[in-house]
Amino acid sequence: MGLEAGRFVERFDVVVIGAGGMGSAAAHYLARDGRRVLLVEQFSVGHSRGSSHGGSRIIRHSYVEREYASLAPHAFALWRQLQRESSARLLGDTGGLDFAPPDYPTLLGRMATLDNLGLPYRLYGRSELARDFPQFRLPSGWVALYQADAGILSATRCVQTLAAHAVKRGAVLRENSRVLSVLPDGAGVRAEIDGPAGRQTVLADQAVLAAGPWAGRFLDELGITAAYAAPLRVTHQQLTYMEVSESARPLFAADRCPVYIGLPMPYFYGFPIWERPGQLKVGREMDDPAIDPDGERAVDADAVAEVEAWVAETLFGVIPKAVSTEKCLYTVSPDGHFLIDRHPEHPQILLAAGFSGRGFKFVVTTGRLLADLAASAPGDYSSPLWRENFRIDRFVNGQVQPSVDTANL
C-alpha cells in the first residue's frame, strides 16, 4: 500500500474482476494457493443481475463433446470437496433425464461420448419410463437417457460459499465497487476502481477478468474482441415456477424426480421441487437478439406460454400456469465454447468469459484452472483441466469447431 501522485494505491498478487461464479471460484483457489487476492464486485455477492444467481442449476456428465463430459467428474469432485469443507448444502444428487427421439443426433452423440468415457447410463423406452418415473409423459416413440450421476447445484449458495471461503483464506472482497479499467502496467496490471470509499488504484502482478455479461467491455478495451474475432453476445433467459398439485408432490420430490432436459428445439428443461415448497422450476432456452446487460429486462410472455404448454403435455400433476418468472443472462461466445486463457500479448491478464449457458456446473473447474494458469509460465497449459477449445486465439488460427451439443445447460 502507498501513495502514487497523491492517490492511495494498494498492491496485491492478483486482482479478480467479478464475484459471480467464475470470479469467486478463481479467488477461492488463488487464495487457497497462498496468493494475496483482491476480489471486486460491482454489485453484491449473490446479486440477481447476471448469470450466477438462483436456487438451482443442472450438473451432469451427458455432453456430445468429450471436452465437457471429461471435465464433469472433476467438477463433481471439486463441488463435493467444497461441500464437505463448508458444511453447506451445495449439490443435490437427483439423477438426470434427457428426452428425445431415438435417432436424434444430440442424444446419439451424448450416448457415444458416455460410452467412450466409460460413464454409466440407462436408456428408457416410453413404457419403462412411465413405470419408473410416472411424473413424465413422453411423446410416442421417444426415449430417455438416464444418468444417476446428475443433480442440482444451489447456485447463489455456491457463489456465496466460494466468496466466503476466499475471504476466509485471506482474500479481500470489495462489493459495490465498479472496475473502470484494468490494463497492463509493465509486467503487472493496473486497475482503477470506483467504490464506496471513492476512486482508487490497485496494482497487481496478475488480473483475472471474470465479469460475466460485462466481460465484453474489458475484452474490447484490451483489444481482444477485434484482434481475435471474439465478440460476446449477451442474451435474455428466464425460468418459470409452477405449482405441483398436492397429490403429485411426492413424485416431484428431489429424491424421486431427476432433473430433465428435452433435447429437440427449443430445449425445455426443469427441476424437481427444490427451491420453493410445492413448486418446481421449468425453462426454455431462448436465442433472442443481443441485449445490454445494464438494460431493463421484461418477461417474455410468449416464451412463458410455450413453457406452460410443454408442461401440460409432459409433466403429470403440475398445474401448467406460471406462478412467477425469474430472469437471468447468457453470455455467448462465437462458437459456444468457453473463453479461458491468458491474454496473448499480456499473459499477466487471464480471461474467463463466454460460458454460453453451460458454465455454472464448471465454475469450480474454471476457478481451479485459472489458478493453475496464474501459477504457471506463459505457454504452459499442463493443467489437467485445460481444454484446447478454450483458447482465445482459436478464431484466428483455424481451430474453430462450433459446439455441436444442441442444448447448452
Side-chain angles (χ1 to χ4, degrees), residues 360-388:
F360 197 88
K361 64 184 68 62
F362 299 115
V363 156
V364 281
T365 56
T366 300
R368 183 61 261 175
L369 172 59
L370 289 164
D372 291 347
L373 293 174
S376 56
D380 183 347
Y381 293 99
S382 58
S383 170
L385 304 176
W386 170 254
R387 301 293 184 268
E388 279 296 307

Side-chain angles (χ1 to χ4, degrees), residues 27 42 51 102-103 145 149 155 183 218 233 235 245 254 259 266 302 307 321 352 360 365 385 407:
Q42 65 176 325
S51 306
D103 59 350
L145 185 158
D149 296 329
L183 295 169
F218 295 103
R233 185 167 59 93
T235 66
S245 66
V259 294
D302 290 340
V307 170
K321 183 66 177 175
F360 197 88
T365 56
L385 304 176

Side-chain angles (χ1 to χ4, degrees), residues 91-166:
L91 170 64
D93 297 301
T94 63
L97 288 166
D98 296 341
F99 306 142
D103 59 350
Y104 194 69
T106 302
L107 178 73
L108 296 176
R110 290 185 177 187
M111 292 167 59
T113 300
L114 293 171
D115 286 335
N116 185 262
L117 293 172
L119 296 171
Y121 66 90
R122 175 177 176 178
L123 196 64
Y124 275 97
R126 188 185 187 202
S127 59
E128 293 177 303
L129 188 74
R131 181 195 65 217
D132 287 1
F133 298 104
Q135 59 272 66
F136 299 106
R137 294 185 289 213
L138 291 186
S140 179
W142 280 35
V143 296
L145 185 158
Y146 175 74
Q147 269 209 293
D149 296 329
I152 300 174
L153 291 167
S154 297
T156 298
R157 189 179 302 134
C158 289
V159 174
Q160 292 170 334
T161 300
L162 286 163
H165 274 242

Side-chain angles (χ1 to χ4, degrees), residues 190-205:
R190 174 185 294 265
E192 298 294 331
I193 301 171
D194 188 14
R199 183 163 172 169
Q200 61 184 145
T201 300
V202 169
L203 301 178
D205 296 332

